[in-house]
Amino acid sequence: MDTPKTLQVRLLDDLQKVFLQEELSAAPRASRRFSVLQGQRLNFQVAIFSPVRTFQLCQVDSLFREQVTLRQTGMVFCDLPADPQDPLTLSAEPGFFPDPLMPLGPENLLSLPCRKWTSLWVSVDIPRECPSGRHPLRILLSTPSQEQVHLAWPLESMPPAVLEVELEIIPAELPRQTLWSCSWFHVDCLQHWYGVGFSDPRFWEILEHYVKDMVAHGVNVLFTPLWTPPLDTAIGRERPTCQLLGITEEGGRYHFDFSLLEKWITLARQWGMERFEFTHAFSQWGARATPKILVNGTRRFGWDVAATSPEYQEFLNQLLPALAQFLRERNLAGKCIFHNSDEPQADSLERYRQSLALMTRHLPDQEFPVVDAMSDVEFVKEGVSQRPIPVTTYLDQFQGLPLKSRWCYYCGTWQHGAPNRLLGLPSWRNRALGVLLYALGQEGFLHWGHNFWFSQYSLDWDLNPWQNTSAGFGFFGGDSYLVYPGRHDAPVDSLRYEVFAEAMQDYRACQLLESLAGREAVLAILQEGVERPLSMNDYPHSAQWVQEVNQRILQAIDQRI
């Protein structure tokens, strides 16, 4: 008699990446008890191995059944997953990597390969009014009927597999996020992929899905295209026109139509977005030229117009006061940021100073600060900027300087060991960001690639992000986008996005403990067992440390409420 075929299931936390292979790495099994705050999202995984090609029906039995989302971790090919000189990677070799979290559909059917491990990603959104205490959550995997999978032949039946975890709800609510979290939303990429413009009602339906998804993942600042962003564009080339401002000019006087911008802001706020950042006023890497801007329906400014052009200066002199007043009337003063030029270089210091002076003449700093990615500390030492956003690995150089705000960003090119979210990196390097931002007193975090689906320098607009994950060999995989364009006009999240969102929750948990015990007590917990002061370049490089710090924070909250 043949031995019955059975599934193997293994409980894993959110920091493991399950590759499509016959052997699962020696990653430790997750604890079957998860501590979680009210209003928090919990993620964990069920790794599954089937001896045959089959489908399984996934069912959830829990008080939180309606708050559970089940997705299957899909695989994408990546040619540049990480820097081969970075010693702390999972792999820098081309291959298939787990990343997109694929919805199971209304039937909750999980597709299992033959003799390969795969992952069921489980997200639980704990209600804010949830009763405290311990609550079981069971996941049942069973062979569906022939009718349920609509196949012409029956599936080979296997014994059901049951996995049970316990959720320990701490009677304290995760506070509202105060950290400014920016993830540049490339509207032109979205419009080009879906074939829609601002005049198409479908665009606003798609936008709703993407904005709500941002809010759910801790992105609370919406990158807003007053005009086509002058970012990652080869000199002399263009990106697809993407301009919310209507602009006409006659006799040197400009008229600004803010109706599309008002619609954008109104809807975004209704969907939960709290803050806005506006397109850069000058070209990238040093404010040499003007952005692509349409006036009277045709391009008036762009690469061929210098930043010092009197006509452009007059344009800003008329626009910025009108825009500031528009925002004040909608109670957005203090809730917006502006940008001058992204990552200005040393040879552009004076040019940046002049362009910044033009902007701040009309944008009071306390109402509408101008912040920029800026890793050259000389811009601060020379008194040009007091609101830089340095790359994380240069953050130490800015720590002792008198700044008006403290932000940082990362990207995927030179930051060995530092937090990042590339495809080829372990997830603990993604999750570590939250507690490090808190420990270093950071008020904001910026990343340039929410959905940059073009090639580097926007030379090719037609790349498929499901197939080309490195922007045409331009960036390490995962740097240029967090979400995939999905069917039904909605984004498909990545596991990297879920882990990043948990890092944002870690920051908020630290803030909650600070409200109960003071900042010094929180810092003592973060520093426990670590000999040197924490920094983006120097922190314990392990999933164990990230998990233990999180548990110590939650335990301390539980003890003080």
Side-chain angles (χ1 to χ4, degrees), residues 286-287 308 340 344-357 379 382 384:
T308 55
N340 178 4
Q345 306 300 300
D347 61 356
S348 62
L349 191 148
E350 286 305 318
R351 190 166 54 249
Y352 184 90
R353 187 199 303 270
Q354 293 171 15
S355 57
L356 180 61
F379 280 76
E382 292 292 328
V384 175

Coordinates of all heavy atoms in Angstrom, one line a residue, residues 286-287 308 340 344-357 379 382 384:
G286 N 22.1 69.4 -9.3 CA 22.7 70.7 -9.3 C 22.0 71.9 -9.9 O 22.6 72.9 -10.1
A287 N 20.7 71.8 -10.2 CA 19.9 72.9 -10.6 C 20.5 73.7 -11.8 O 20.6 74.9 -11.8 CB 19.8 73.9 -9.4
T308 N 19.0 79.8 -14.5 CA 19.1 81.2 -14.3 C 18.3 82.1 -15.2 O 18.4 83.3 -15.2 CB 20.6 81.6 -14.3 OG1 21.1 81.2 -15.6 CG2 21.4 81.0 -13.2
N340 N 14.1 71.6 -4.3 CA 14.8 72.5 -5.2 C 15.5 71.6 -6.3 O 15.0 71.6 -7.4 CB 15.8 73.3 -4.4 CG 16.7 74.2 -5.3 OD1 16.5 74.3 -6.5 ND2 17.6 74.9 -4.6
P344 N 22.4 67.9 -5.2 CA 23.3 68.8 -5.8 C 24.8 68.4 -5.5 O 25.1 68.0 -4.4 CB 23.0 70.2 -5.2 CG 22.4 69.8 -3.9 CD 21.6 68.5 -4.1
Q345 N 25.6 68.6 -6.5 CA 27.1 68.3 -6.4 C 27.9 69.5 -5.9 O 27.4 70.7 -6.0 CB 27.6 67.7 -7.7 CG 26.8 66.5 -8.2 CD 26.7 65.4 -7.2 OE1 27.8 64.8 -6.9 NE2 25.5 65.0 -6.8
A346 N 29.1 69.3 -5.5 CA 30.0 70.4 -5.0 C 30.1 71.5 -6.0 O 30.1 72.7 -5.5 CB 31.3 69.8 -4.6
D347 N 30.2 71.2 -7.3 CA 30.4 72.3 -8.2 C 29.2 73.2 -8.5 O 29.2 74.1 -9.2 CB 30.9 71.8 -9.6 CG 30.0 70.8 -10.2 OD1 28.9 70.5 -9.6 OD2 30.3 70.3 -11.3
S348 N 28.0 72.8 -7.8 CA 26.8 73.5 -8.0 C 26.4 74.3 -6.8 O 25.2 74.7 -6.7 CB 25.7 72.6 -8.5 OG 25.4 71.6 -7.5
L349 N 27.3 74.4 -5.8 CA 26.9 75.0 -4.6 C 26.3 76.4 -4.7 O 25.2 76.7 -4.2 CB 28.1 75.0 -3.6 CG 27.8 75.4 -2.1 CD1 28.8 74.6 -1.2 CD2 28.0 76.9 -1.9
E350 N 27.0 77.3 -5.5 CA 26.5 78.7 -5.6 C 25.2 78.7 -6.4 O 24.3 79.5 -6.1 CB 27.5 79.5 -6.3 CG 28.7 79.9 -5.3 CD 28.2 80.5 -4.0 OE1 27.3 81.4 -4.1 OE2 28.7 80.2 -3.0
R351 N 25.1 77.8 -7.4 CA 23.9 77.8 -8.2 C 22.7 77.3 -7.4 O 21.6 77.8 -7.5 CB 24.1 76.9 -9.4 CG 23.0 76.9 -10.5 CD 23.5 76.2 -11.8 NE 24.0 74.9 -11.6 CZ 25.2 74.5 -11.7 NH1 26.1 75.4 -12.1 NH2 25.6 73.3 -11.5
Y352 N 23.0 76.3 -6.5 CA 21.9 75.8 -5.6 C 21.5 76.9 -4.6 O 20.3 77.1 -4.4 CB 22.4 74.6 -4.9 CG 21.3 74.0 -4.0 CD1 20.5 73.0 -4.5 CD2 21.1 74.4 -2.7 CE1 19.5 72.4 -3.7 CE2 20.1 73.9 -1.9 CZ 19.3 72.9 -2.4 OH 18.3 72.3 -1.6
R353 N 22.5 77.7 -4.1 CA 22.2 78.8 -3.2 C 21.3 79.8 -3.8 O 20.3 80.2 -3.2 CB 23.5 79.4 -2.8 CG 23.3 80.5 -1.6 CD 24.5 81.4 -1.6 NE 25.8 80.8 -1.4 CZ 26.3 80.5 -0.2 NH1 25.7 80.8 0.9 NH2 27.5 79.9 -0.1
Q354 N 21.5 80.1 -5.1 CA 20.7 81.1 -5.8 C 19.3 80.6 -6.0 O 18.3 81.3 -5.8 CB 21.4 81.5 -7.1 CG 22.7 82.3 -6.9 CD 23.4 82.5 -8.2 OE1 22.9 82.3 -9.3 NE2 24.7 82.8 -8.1
S355 N 19.2 79.4 -6.5 CA 17.9 78.8 -6.8 C 17.1 78.7 -5.5 O 15.8 78.9 -5.5 CB 18.0 77.5 -7.5 OG 18.8 76.6 -6.8
L356 N 17.7 78.3 -4.4 CA 17.0 78.1 -3.1 C 16.5 79.5 -2.6 O 15.4 79.6 -2.1 CB 18.0 77.5 -2.1 CG 17.4 77.2 -0.7 CD1 16.2 76.3 -0.8 CD2 18.4 76.7 0.2
A357 N 17.3 80.5 -2.8 CA 16.9 81.8 -2.3 C 15.7 82.3 -3.1 O 14.8 83.0 -2.5 CB 18.1 82.8 -2.5
F379 N 27.4 71.8 1.9 CA 26.2 72.7 1.7 C 25.7 73.2 3.0 O 25.1 74.3 3.1 CB 25.1 71.9 0.9 CG 25.4 71.8 -0.5 CD1 26.3 71.0 -1.1 CD2 24.6 72.6 -1.4 CE1 26.5 70.9 -2.4 CE2 24.8 72.5 -2.8 CZ 25.8 71.7 -3.3
E382 N 28.6 75.6 4.7 CA 28.6 76.9 4.0 C 27.4 77.7 4.2 O 27.2 78.8 3.6 CB 28.9 76.7 2.5 CG 30.2 76.1 2.2 CD 31.4 77.1 2.4 OE1 31.1 78.4 2.3 OE2 32.5 76.7 2.8
V384 N 24.3 77.1 3.2 CA 23.4 77.1 2.0 C 22.1 76.4 2.4 O 21.0 76.9 2.1 CB 24.0 76.3 0.8 CG1 23.1 76.2 -0.3 CG2 25.3 77.0 0.4

